Amino acid sequence: GRNGNRARVLRTVYRCYRAEPLKKDPSKLFLKEAFAAHLHTASVRSISTHGKYVATGGADDRICLLDMKDGTQVTDFLHHDGTINAVAFSKDGSHLFAGCSDGSMSAINMARLAVSRTWKNAHKAAVQSISIHPQGTLALTLGADLTLKTWDLITGRTLFTTALRKNTKYGNVVSDVQWSPDGEHFALLGARVVDVMSVETTHSVRTIQCDSKPTVICWLSVEEIAVGLESGALLLLNIHNDEQQEQLPIYETRVKAIASNGAGYIATASSAGDVSLWRLEDDEFSEIATKQTGCRPICLALRSSETTPHTPEVEADTEPAVDEAETETKAMKAAKIATKVARDLARVVVETEDPVEQAVEQRKRKRPNGGKDQSKVRPKQKK
């Protein structure tokens, strides 16, 4: 740094948790840390998963690729000159797309692990979000220039550019865009609004006004959406039915990240460090497990354990055998649910800032010349 000051380097921690039954009570689950790794030298801004791979993009201009089978880093990519705000795998996993703060976008061929194409001027400002259509032929990108672009991934050309700044309902802020699982709709997050658009009609099918700023969003099914709010609430809604909407206060601080595997499991993280796993079945929304990480989560992903060797080996006799004519007890049902979750659900992958290095940096800032005794520095009183 200039003037002899040391540059601040804050590493982030990549943590992987999996849901496992408690030994004393198999009907209950907990999130067990599978492994942790240092990948980036600055904050991680985005994460995406497909099959055995997890990709992360950071403020250190790097894209890291990990193999979840053994938790090792495969490679990293340094072709961007700016923060990687967005990474997204195509549905078939053949390509990984990345969006950068300098307005550029790139496509990485996963078979060759090489950059196959770069769009230097994808947007006039930072690329904030990338969402790949389920068929893999189209992509939506959202820029800090408040434009929404539709891309033909076959030709690599822009099909449409929509100026969102002109639409006052977004409050001059649009933070995310996500395709629905069937590709028939996409959702936009505004300052206080969630807007669901129809591809067929190009009009809004539902606009939801929120009492708190929406921070994150994910599709649960072709008709259901989960929205995390700054107030700490989770909003569950149906895009075609105004009456099917519920707001659940899951945290006291804002919902920082959310992910769904499309099979009824939802992972969320709060800005206070809580990572939670939920189950949505029919109309019942229940908490499976919550863990306080002691860190500040930045983003997370949820993936299946079926392709990893760390899948829990649940023996047949661990699942209660109940005669068809008998009525199952609540304990038996809970044990079955726990076993099913352990089989179905793989890992909650969380990117957080390293609490140890955060503490070191805080001490350095208090002792800029290294001359003060830290023990003599009085901690600030909480208000």
Side-chain angles (χ1 to χ4, degrees), residues 15 17 272-274 291-296 353-355 358:
R15 298 182 185 274
Y17 300 95
D274 301 297
K291 183 178 182 64
Q292 170 53 240
T293 64
C295 307
R296 188 182 70 177
E353 291 186 354
D354 189 339
Q358 278 184 305

Side-chain angles (χ1 to χ4, degrees), residues 121-133:
N121 299 302
H123 284 270
K124 294 180 181 179
V127 179
Q128 294 181 315
S129 178
I130 300 175
S131 185
I132 311 300
H133 191 276

Side-chain angles (χ1 to χ4, degrees), residues 315-356:
E315 297 181 0
D317 60 359
T318 60
E319 189 172 36
V322 181
D323 188 85
E324 294 182 359
E326 296 181 5
T327 302
E328 294 184 19
T329 65
K330 291 183 178 180
M332 289 177 175
K333 287 183 178 180
K336 280 191 173 184
I337 292 174
T339 303
K340 186 178 188 303
V341 172
R343 286 174 173 171
D344 292 350
L345 194 60
R347 302 172 181 276
V348 180
V349 182
V350 185
E351 287 285 357
T352 64
E353 291 186 354
D354 189 339
V356 176

Side-chain angles (χ1 to χ4, degrees), residues 35 158 201 244 313:
F35 62 85
T158 306
T201 64
Q244 292 186 18
E313 298 292 337

Side-chain angles (χ1 to χ4, degrees), residues 247-263:
Q247 186 165 308
L248 307 170
I250 61 172
Y251 297 128
E252 294 183 356
T253 58
R254 68 173 170 165
V255 181
K256 183 69 175 178
I258 188 170
S260 172
N261 69 347

Side-chain angles (χ1 to χ4, degrees), residues 18-23 26 28-32 289 310-312 338 341-342:
R18 61 173 290 110
E20 291 192 356
L22 289 169
K23 292 182 179 180
K28 297 180 181 180
L29 293 164
F30 73 104
L31 291 177
K32 180 180 180 180
H310 303 289
T311 306
V341 172

